[in-house]
Each structure stands twice: as structure tokens, then as C-alpha cells.
Amino acid sequence: MRVLLDAMGGDTGPAPFIDAAASFLRRHPDAQVILAGDPDAIWPELNGDNGIPKSPGLSVMDCSEVVSPDDEPVRAIRNKPDSSMVRGLKAVRDGDADFMVSAGNTGALMSGGVI
């Protein structure tokens, strides 16, 4: 199972998604978790005391853009191709992830799924 987490989709940064990845990997050590987002925000959290198990199944997809809650949905999908949301949707489409979880802009996520 390959899970992609949009680590930039929440209001509080990537910490909750990293905690969720740690919990998931403890329960499913054979799974793969891809954290999509800003590496400058993700790596310090990964190197902290968060209980992430050592796992070859954990990786980071470096993304340089973020879809904000105020972005117009279709415009965000079209104008932010390197966002964690768009790259995550493409990973699912291309078979590089089995599913994606995002707490980001719901309208953009729905628009991206349709597009």
C-alpha cells in the first residue's frame, strides 16, 4: 500500500501529517508513505522527536508550491503544478501512489480530481 499525504494541506504545517505517518507506519510497517510538500518545512519535523520508525517506506516528495485555502480551485490546480496537492493527484493518476489524503483546499482537491 502506497499512501501519499499532502503534508502542506493543513492550517498548522506538516507536523500533524508527520505524526499521522508515524502512527500509520507503526501499524503497517510494510506500507509506503510519501509526504508531499516543502522540504524545508518537512525535514526539520522528520528529524525531531516524533517517533517516526526507521522505514524504507517513508519518503518525501519535494514540492515548491502550496495551494492555499483562499486560492480559487481551478486556477490553483492549473497555476500551481508543483504544489503538493497537484503532484499528489498526479502520483495517484500515474500509479505511483494508491491513494492520497489532503486536508487542504477542498474545492481545489475536487477540481484536481475531475481535471
Side-chain angles (χ1 to χ4, degrees), residues 47-102:
N47 294 328
D49 182 27
N50 54 27
I52 292 267
K54 298 290 183 206
S55 170
L58 180 67
S59 61
V60 175
M61 176 187 286
D62 295 350
C63 303
S64 64
E65 297 175 305
V66 175
V67 173
S68 75
D70 299 326
D71 284 340
E72 192 276 318
V74 174
R75 213 172 262 137
I77 296 301
R78 290 191 175 145
N79 295 337
K80 295 185 175 182
D82 199 44
S83 67
S84 52
M85 185 178 291
V86 172
R87 299 235 358 245
L89 288 166
K90 287 180 180 179
V92 172
R93 178 196 68 195
D94 296 342
D96 296 327
D98 295 315
F99 63 93
M100 172 186 172
V101 177
S102 177

Side-chain angles (χ1 to χ4, degrees), residues 5-14 17 36-37 66-67 69 84-85 101-105:
L5 295 178
D6 175 4
M8 307 312 292
D11 294 335
T12 59
F17 301 99
V66 175
V67 173
S84 52
M85 185 178 291
V101 177
S102 177
N105 183 320

Side-chain angles (χ1 to χ4, degrees), residues 15 26 33 40 46 68 71 98 115:
R26 278 193 292 277
V33 175
D40 293 334
L46 283 176
S68 75
D71 284 340
D98 295 315
I115 292 172

Side-chain angles (χ1 to χ4, degrees), residues 5 15-25:
L5 295 178
F17 301 99
I18 292 169
D19 292 342
S23 177
F24 181 78
L25 286 171

